[in-house]
Structures are given as C-alpha cells and as structure tokens.
Amino acid sequence: MMRDPQTVSIVMIEDDEGHARLIEKNIRRAGVTNEIVPFTDGTSALAHLFGPDGSGQASMGRALLILLDLNLPDMTGVDILSRLKANPHTKRFPVVVLTTTDDRQEIQRCYDIGANVYITKPVNYESFATAIRQLGLFFSVIQIPEAEV
C-alpha cells in the first residue's frame, strides 16, 4: 500500500542541541514538513519507540524514520540500533546513523546490525548543512515500510 510521505514521523535521537537545531533547520530547508520528534538520550527514545511495556507494540502501524547519533550520554547508538533491529515491531524502520565517528569498523558494524544509511557529520558547518539538506531531499522520496502488526 502506498502511503502519503507526510504521515512519516522522523524520530531524531541527538544529544547535541546545536546539531539537533542544524539538522531540523536543514531538513526543513529541503522542503520536508514531516513531524520531527526529538530525543536527547537513548532511554527516552526507546521508551517512545517500545512503549510502556517495552514490547515495541506501541509502534505498530506507525511509519517512522529514525535519525540516530551514535554518541549519546546514556547508551551507545549501536545498542539502540541493535534493539530496534531485534524487535519485530521496529525492525523495518529505516535508521539513518548520523555521527562524528568515521571509524571503518564502526561503520561496518552499523550496517551489519541493519543501519540503512551511515552519514559522518562533517566538522565544517557548511558541509554539515549541505549534507543534511541532501538527506532531507532523500527523505522526500524514500518509501517507508509500516511497522509489523
């Protein structure tokens, strides 16, 4: 079933407020008007995604795209990615890893676990802004699967 791309919510898990603002601003600049639900730590993001009972059923029927920073204050993004991909209700959600880490092994590990896209945050502000705008354009065309029911 084709879905309206506007019904997709973007869950942004990013603890750096400056980066979070920059990401949101440039996604909007790319013309993406989808709801962005921000989290600054893994614990609250997982509570949102897995629901009060932790089963993941809270995400049934949702269409989500997850933007995930790997360096979070309470847990690693790799842990979050592993948990998302291991859960039948959240495993189909596309996960875009957005991080300052450009370690080859880390990149490989994320793809092995199930990351869909891995983007290294450029240090330079302009390059970062451009990368996020391009990501926004990508969001406007990608098809998001529904959570498993």
Side-chain angles (χ1 to χ4, degrees):
M1 176 185 104
M2 290 289 284
R3 69 162 46 259
D4 175 4
Q6 292 311 314
T7 59
V8 175
S9 289
I10 299 168
V11 173
M12 177 172 59
I13 310 168
E14 168 63 76
D15 67 318
D16 182 313
E17 258 180 74
H19 285 177
R21 276 198 304 273
L22 194 63
I23 291 166
E24 187 158 356
K25 192 168 89 180
N26 286 288
I27 284 175
R28 297 286 177 236
R29 271 195 191 145
V32 175
T33 56
N34 302 55
E35 174 190 30
I36 297 176
V37 187
F39 294 96
T40 54
D41 63 86
T43 308
S44 56
L46 287 175
H48 173 75
L49 294 163
F50 290 140
D53 64 357
S55 71
Q57 286 190 338
S59 285
M60 276 179 18
R62 283 181 180 168
L64 301 177
L65 179 110
I66 297 160
L67 269 181
L68 177 63
D69 183 16
L70 290 188
N71 309 309
L72 295 163
D74 56 341
M75 62 180 76
T76 71
V78 171
D79 288 340
I80 295 171
L81 180 63
S82 301
R83 290 177 63 182
L84 287 171
K85 294 301 177 180
N87 185 295
H89 303 293
T90 58
K91 71 179 181 195
R92 288 186 184 160
F93 294 144
V95 177
V96 176
V97 173
L98 203 56
T99 185
T100 48
T101 312
D102 64 357
D103 176 309
R104 268 185 121 59
Q105 283 179 308
E106 189 82 322
I107 295 168
Q108 202 57 57
R109 205 160 129 222
C110 287
Y111 278 123
D112 287 346
I113 295 167
N116 299 81
V117 181
Y118 189 106
I119 297 172
T120 303
K121 291 178 187 169
V123 181
N124 164 314
Y125 174 90
E126 257 323 297
S127 309
F128 187 38
T130 303
I132 301 300
R133 260 194 305 264
Q134 288 166 344
L135 187 63
L137 295 171
F138 172 67
F139 288 167
S140 62
V141 296
I142 118 179
Q143 291 295 320
I144 309 284
E146 272 186 41
E148 199 144 296
V149 180

